[in-house]
Amino acid sequence: MKANEKKQDCPCGRKTAKARPLAYADCCGRYIEHWDEQPAPDAESLMRSRYSAFVQENASYLLATWHASQRPLQLDFEASTKWLGLEIKDFQVTGQDSAEVEFVARY
């Protein structure tokens, strides 16, 4: 992790209880940088971290967290893509090992 990433706002837009942006290192960074040791704890955190990984063009994390039945062989990112924000509309646990996240990702 680069030194400036600790203070950088997380691309996913998650905020503290006081409505301040969370730092990348305290939000999605801990899952993206250590996905094999500290996976995202729930579906919302996974969705947020995958959004952040798309913003950063982190193919390794995206491929590692993509379900095998849907995972592409490789990812190609378009250089002209500008990510504008993520909005979580709803998050529900649907079973012991399942959940649903309704979201809008703007680019």
Side-chain angles (χ1 to χ4, degrees), residues 26-84:
D26 297 328
C27 191
C28 295
R30 57 190 166 166
Y31 310 127
I32 293 171
E33 304 299 327
H34 307 284
W35 64 267
D36 54 341
E37 298 167 5
Q38 185 177 2
D42 56 46
E44 180 182 356
S45 296
L46 177 61
M47 175 57 59
R48 288 180 175 282
S49 65
R50 287 181 51 79
Y51 174 85
S52 292
F54 269 107
V55 171
Q56 298 171 340
E57 298 184 357
N58 186 328
S60 319
Y61 181 75
L62 290 166
L63 292 171
T65 58
W66 216 306
H67 191 276
S69 67
Q70 301 292 318
R71 182 175 39 235
L73 295 176
Q74 69 179 35
L75 288 175
D76 297 315
F77 299 101
E78 292 189 33
S80 63
T81 300
K82 179 176 178 169
W83 292 94
L84 303 173

Side-chain angles (χ1 to χ4, degrees), residues 6-41:
K6 180 129 179 99
K7 296 176 184 170
Q8 177 185 23
D9 292 349
C10 192
C12 83
R14 187 173 278 195
K15 302 201 181 313
T16 67
K18 294 183 179 183
R20 292 190 180 115
L22 273 175
Y24 171 76
D26 297 328
C27 191
C28 295
R30 57 190 166 166
Y31 310 127
I32 293 171
E33 304 299 327
H34 307 284
W35 64 267
D36 54 341
E37 298 167 5
Q38 185 177 2

